Amino acid sequence: MIAPVRRSLHLNVNILHSGFLPSAWRPAGSDPRAFIDVQHYIRVAQIAEAGKLDAVFLADNAAIVDQIHFRPITALEPTVLLASVAAATRHIGLIATASTSYNEPYNIARRFATLDHLSGGRAGWNVVTTADLPSARNFGRDAVPEHAQRYARAAEFTAIVKALWNSWEDDAFIGDQAAGRFVDDAKVQPIAHHGEFFSVHGPLNLPRTPQGHPVLVQAGGSGDGRALAARHAEAVFSASQSFEEALAYARDLKSRAEALGRGPEALRVLPGLTTIIGDTEAAARRRRDELVDLIPWDYSLTRLAGILGITPDRLKLDQRLPENLSLPGGGNGNHTFFNATLATARRLDLTTRELIRELAGGGGHRVIVGTPEQIADDIERWFRAGAADGFNLMPDVLPDGLQAFVDGVVPLLQRRGIFRTAYEGETLRDHFGLPRPVGRGAERAAA
């Protein structure tokens, strides 16, 4: 009888410029220019690497979609930024977001293959569709494409990128100086794709990468998003607010993957988790309250209204959310954060003011406020029960919120035997415990 493989917890850190809380740039010691300072991102990545975390992750937007009169935004292009981070680190994975709505498959395949080569196999691509109108307008469109169309395009886009990554066989590069043979061009083949949205001949102009191809990451809670994740994703960023919701989501996603012949271990489910840490629970709550009190209420109301797809005047601070709220844009907006935010408000019976404080001025992702022991207990419970394979961490303030996690929480998880004490491999696939994908030549030989 073969012994089951012991599960290991996975932890990423989402480098949301100054931190998850909108006021993270305001406390003494924070740098308001951190959002455009490469050294800030390098420092956060080095702290994460010292803590033996799996990866750093960068979100992205193709427009200004937040209220820049008050807070920093995601401004630097992620793959360019992570190239600099790669040069200053040795082990940490490097996951960047790129939208399938306003890019071309060949460019994305080349960009992430480049990052994988120069980092020694540490790259991951977070596949997203883009649902905001400002981004559409930046690419010459007057409206956001319909939800189903965005995901149909994303599915075709992702399949093309994978095909391009696999257009070189593993042993296509020869580099034989004596014989004068550089590449076995019989092992480099076009993909000749002609589909509904794209026509891409290929092949890619780069050899297969150190980890076969970059790790595919996806984030989405809608039916279309789950279908895309089940077919292609190897790690999934989710936004579950409750244990029960997270457990149901993980089971659904893994059963979908299994139905497609991939198996339940083909992907890792990583809910977002904001941590606010103090030596005591009271100290942690004071830290939370002080940071929330630095956020103007009009900012928080506008942000919450945007997530819910309503105008701010419909929200009253000391009343419950309006009844009969429906998905933003008639279902064409962001399903994940809408559902997570509304579920929190209804489950805890919160007023708008209480909801904003519960979410720490953010929106969608779960916030836990407490001591290192309380946070470690929560993480262990979700992990051992299968509600999560790990977490996409979003510390309240960067870098000190991550330093507090690495110094206080990581040693507890290590002592409990669920988190690594040293890196056991070189690539992001090694960190996630994912196999190297079979290349085209191996597929042909097996057939």
Side-chain angles (χ1 to χ4, degrees):
M1 180 177 178
I2 300 174
V5 176
R6 184 170 63 88
R7 290 173 72 226
S8 179
L9 179 73
H10 301 288
L11 297 171
N12 301 329
V13 58
N14 186 352
I15 309 181
L16 283 167
H17 30 79
S18 297
F20 177 77
L21 271 73
S23 58
W25 62 279
R26 296 191 65 188
S30 292
D31 179 7
R33 294 184 60 83
F35 78 117
I36 52 172
D37 181 1
V38 66
Q39 294 304 321
H40 169 73
Y41 294 89
I42 288 173
R43 183 182 177 195
V44 173
Q46 289 173 338
I47 293 170
E49 187 167 83
K52 307 299 185 291
L53 272 62
D54 295 68
V56 296
F57 162 61
L58 295 180
D60 194 31
N61 293 111
I64 295 174
V65 296
D66 210 333
Q67 303 170 66
I68 58 172
H69 72 278
F70 175 69
R71 77 169 299 182
I73 55 173
T74 50
L76 298 174
E77 199 285 321
T79 56
V80 175
L81 177 54
L82 287 179
S84 296
V85 173
T89 55
R90 290 188 55 200
H91 298 286
I92 196 79
L94 310 162
I95 302 172
T97 296
S99 173
T100 60
S101 300
Y102 304 116
N103 283 294
E104 291 292 324
Y106 194 93
N107 289 343
I108 293 302
R110 186 183 184 205
R111 192 182 306 167
F112 281 87
T114 298
L115 183 60
D116 207 45
H117 276 293
L118 66 85
S119 67
R122 294 187 278 146
W125 170 33
N126 180 40
V127 184
V128 301
T129 70
T130 303
D132 64 276
L133 184 57
S135 292
R137 288 173 172 166
N138 283 344
F139 290 88
R141 302 184 184 183
D142 294 327
V144 176
E146 291 298 318
H147 188 274
Q149 183 186 39
R150 293 201 314 273
Y151 275 92
R153 175 186 167 100
E156 185 179 338
F157 192 116
T158 306
I160 295 168
V161 170
K162 289 169 69 175
L164 288 167
W165 283 336
N166 292 329
S167 60
W168 289 55
E169 296 183 21
D170 277 316
D171 58 351
F173 175 74
I174 300 171
D176 188 333
Q177 294 170 304
R181 294 195 70 204
F182 193 70
V183 169
D184 184 347
D185 57 355
K187 295 182 178 181
V188 182
Q189 295 295 325
I191 65 170
H193 175 88
H194 300 281
E196 180 182 359
F197 298 96
F198 303 103
S199 180
V200 181
H201 189 262
L204 194 63
N205 61 348
L206 280 168
R208 209 156 186 257
T209 73
Q211 55 180 345
H213 65 64
V215 173
L216 281 164
V217 183
Q218 200 267 339
S222 69
D224 291 330
R226 295 185 193 206
L228 179 65
R231 183 166 296 280
H232 293 294
E234 297 169 291
V236 177
F237 297 154
S238 63
S240 298
Q241 284 285 348
S242 71
F243 174 85
E244 293 76 17
E245 177 189 352
L247 186 61
Y249 179 89
R251 287 174 174 171
D252 174 68
L253 204 57
K254 294 191 176 190
S255 68
R256 287 173 184 251
E258 193 166 19
L260 292 169
R262 298 185 62 202
E265 293 304 310
L267 51 81
R268 308 286 177 259
V269 179
L270 309 169
L273 180 64
T274 293
T275 55
I276 303 177
I277 303 173
D279 293 336
T280 65
E281 184 176 352
R285 292 194 175 279
R286 278 197 305 272
R287 179 180 172 99
R288 190 271 312 272
D289 291 344
E290 288 169 0
L291 287 166
V292 172
D293 288 343
L294 289 173
I295 308 169
W297 286 108
D298 62 345
Y299 170 90
S300 296
L301 286 170
T302 300
R303 187 178 189 195
L304 179 59
I307 291 170
L308 298 175
I310 60 178
T311 56
D313 61 282
R314 293 189 61 191
L315 297 174
K316 309 301 179 187
L317 278 173
D318 295 309
Q319 297 179 17
R320 272 61 178 171
L321 296 184
E323 296 294 330
N324 303 318
L325 292 173
S326 56
L327 284 165
N332 204 30
N334 189 307
H335 291 208
T336 302
F337 289 145
F338 171 87
N339 288 326
T341 301
L342 188 60
T344 299
R346 302 299 193 219
R347 176 171 51 87
L348 301 177
D349 191 30
L350 301 175
T351 65
T352 298
R353 187 190 304 274
E354 292 167 339
L355 175 62
I356 289 170
R357 194 165 293 276
E358 178 72 20
L359 298 173
H365 287 295
R366 190 167 68 103
V367 179
I368 182 166
V369 183
T371 64
E373 290 79 7
Q374 288 173 316
I375 291 170
D377 288 347
D378 184 271
I379 287 174
E380 183 177 16
R381 175 182 175 239
W382 282 47
F383 172 71
R384 291 196 184 280
D389 295 306
F391 293 89
N392 198 31
L393 301 172
M394 290 169 281
D396 52 358
V397 177
L398 290 171
D400 67 313
L402 177 61
Q403 190 71 66
F405 186 93
V406 166
D407 291 345
V409 181
V410 166
L412 296 174
L413 300 173
Q414 291 170 332
R415 286 200 289 271
R416 298 176 191 193
I418 60 174
F419 191 63
R420 68 174 68 86
T421 56
Y423 289 108
E424 298 175 358
E426 300 295 326
T427 71
L428 180 55
R429 290 187 177 279
D430 292 335
H431 303 343
F432 277 151
L434 294 168
R436 190 177 192 274
V438 174
R440 190 169 52 84
E443 288 176 346
R444 187 173 62 250

